[in-house]
């Protein structure tokens, strides 16, 4: 017991610190992502928070790509109150991100496919810029999933998922996970939080996370969630491929639907990047469109019969939402605008249903929004 407590011997002493069911999920997701290790957390937000807090001190700066998930934006503002600066780049492009790096920057953070901006990050290009400045790249790959890309293979150093979405897949358990590539050599002089682990610079991130940050803040994943997520991993490729194919087909159908405009889907706007970066060019299962006004958006949402009005993504069921009044309610107008969250915007997370049912449903809802039924 003493040896296990001192990390001199493998073993399990207490679930907040380690548990065999959680460890098995961590082992599998690390293998799926091509990482050296993973630490499972109670939620995606806990994973984002722990990954950043693990390396940062007051006075440090984060360079964050614009168009982040609203919860992550709010978290970054909380970190600002703790003395950690955040510099937002205008977009997720390598050039814009490079322009925000200062001598105080300690990490570059962004989402592979912004939720709901849907801007796709060129992970290789951003990783190259970060590494040229001696910085690690942390990516939230929730919306891309390891099925579309293994971000570590493209240069990401730390990968974060809200497992509540695609990895779980059925919206039955909240969770998050941090996967470490163990390729970044942490310098204890530049990241004093990791100085204690300087003897093994590539393992310093996960060692400190597991032994200090995550253990002390206490956001472990529930073992039952880890078990559900382990099951989820077994069907992840099947679900994600079907969801992406449905999303592309629904996005194309919405382009031809009266009363709906500005249909946004990653491969419409960044086709070359999606083809180059994502497996089989599949570009995710989220789309957005505009309706003309908040009232019209609400009318359409209320008229949906097949899609559910739910503020989640990555479920096998199709979910629709008005982001401005829900997940972005804590953001100011400028942040909403920067994330492309307009008052008339509808976001759809596409599920595995029969595509004909989905197209029929959105078309009838649009007709009712237009006052034609
Ligand atoms: N990251 C992204 C991209 C998300 O979409 C979400 C939630 O919607 C989160 C993180 C937060 O995850 P959780 O709800 O599991 O805390």
């Amino acid at each position: 017991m003493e040896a296990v407590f001192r990390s001199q011997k493998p073993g399990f002493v207490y679930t907040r610190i380690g548990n065999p069911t959680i460890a098995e999920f961590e082992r599998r997701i690390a293998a799926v992502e091509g990482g050296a290790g993973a630490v499972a957390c109670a939620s995606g937000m806990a994973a984002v928070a722990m990954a950043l807090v693990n390396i940062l001190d007051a006075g440090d700066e984060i360079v964050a790509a614009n168009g982040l998930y609203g919860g992550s934006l709010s978290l970054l503002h909380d970190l600002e109150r703790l003395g950690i600066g955040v510099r937002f780049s205008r977009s997720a492009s390598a050039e814009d991100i490079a322009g925000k790096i200062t001598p105080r920057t300690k990490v570059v953070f962004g989402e592979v496919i912004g939720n709901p901006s849907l801007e796709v990050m060129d992970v290789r290009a951003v990783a190259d810029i970060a590494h040229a400045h001696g910085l690690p790249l942390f990516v939230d790959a929730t919306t891309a999933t390891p099925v579309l890309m293994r971000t570590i293979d493209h240069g990401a150093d730390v990968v974060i998922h809200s497992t509540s979405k695609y990895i779980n897949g059925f919206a039955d358990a909240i969770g998050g996970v941090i996967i470490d590539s163990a390729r970044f050599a942490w310098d204890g002089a530049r990241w004093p939080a990791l100085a204690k682990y300087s003897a093994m610079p590539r393992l310093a991130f996960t060692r400190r996370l597991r032994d200090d940050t995550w253990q002390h803040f206490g956001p472990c994943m529930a073992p039952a969630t880890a078990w559900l997520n382990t099951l989820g991993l077994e069907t992840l490729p099947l679900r994600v491929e079907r969801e992406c194919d449905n999303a592309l087909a629904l996005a194309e159908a919405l382009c031809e639907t009266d009363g709906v405009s500005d249909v946004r889907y990653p491969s419409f706007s960044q086709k070359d990047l999606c083809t180059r970066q994502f497996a089989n060019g599949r570009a995710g299962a989220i789309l957005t469109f505009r309706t003309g006004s908040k009232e019209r958006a609400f009318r359409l949402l209320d008229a949906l019969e097949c899609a559910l009005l739910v503020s989640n993504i990555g479920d096998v069921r199709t979910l629709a939402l008005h982001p401005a009044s829900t997940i972005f309610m804590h953001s100011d107008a400028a942040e909403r605008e920067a994330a492309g969250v307009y008052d008339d915007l509808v976001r759809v997370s596409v599920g595995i249903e029969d595509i004909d049912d989905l197209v029929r449903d959105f078309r009838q809802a649009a007709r009712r929004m237009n006052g034609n039924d």
Side-chain angles (χ1 to χ4, degrees), residues 165-170 231-244 314 316 351-352:
K165 322 296 186 204
Y166 295 93
I167 289 172
N168 171 277
F170 300 88
L231 293 182
L233 280 180
E234 294 181 3
T235 55
L236 182 68
L238 288 177
R239 288 183 281 105
V240 170
E241 286 170 13
R242 166 77 171 219
E243 286 160 0
C244 292
V316 286
I352 61 169

Side-chain angles (χ1 to χ4, degrees), residues 28-203:
R28 291 189 191 202
I29 186 70
V32 166
E33 282 286 16
V39 174
C41 297
S43 67
M45 287 315 308
V48 177
M50 288 303 98
L52 293 172
V53 166
N54 194 46
I55 60 163
L56 297 172
D57 284 306
D60 291 344
E61 284 177 3
I62 303 167
V63 169
N66 231 335
L68 296 178
Y69 164 64
S72 295
L73 267 181
S74 303
L75 168 73
L76 293 181
H77 292 320
D78 288 340
L79 294 182
E80 283 177 325
R81 281 196 289 279
L82 298 178
I84 294 165
V86 186
R87 288 168 60 82
F88 289 100
S89 76
R90 207 159 40 92
S91 75
S93 78
E95 297 71 39
D96 286 342
I97 286 172
K100 292 291 173 185
I101 293 173
T102 76
R104 286 176 180 273
T105 308
K106 296 294 175 71
V107 62
V108 174
F109 173 63
E111 291 172 14
V112 178
I113 306 177
N115 171 23
S117 73
L118 302 185
E119 184 185 354
V120 181
M121 175 192 282
D122 183 336
V123 177
R124 170 57 63 194
V126 175
D128 286 348
I129 286 289
H131 295 160
H133 288 82
L135 295 168
L137 172 63
F138 286 18
V139 293
D140 179 334
T142 300
T143 46
T145 80
V147 179
L148 298 194
M149 77 183 294
R150 299 209 316 181
T151 49
I152 288 174
D153 294 346
H154 296 245
D157 299 293
V158 169
V159 188
I160 298 161
H161 287 284
S162 162
T163 63
S164 325
K165 322 296 186 204
Y166 295 93
I167 289 172
N168 171 277
F170 300 88
D172 50 22
I174 295 292
V177 69
I178 304 165
I179 301 128
D180 184 4
S181 69
R183 288 190 187 155
F184 192 81
W186 297 90
D187 171 359
R190 197 161 176 197
W191 289 272
L194 303 182
K196 191 169 133 191
Y197 302 100
S198 291
M200 287 185 280
R202 292 182 197 279
L203 298 180

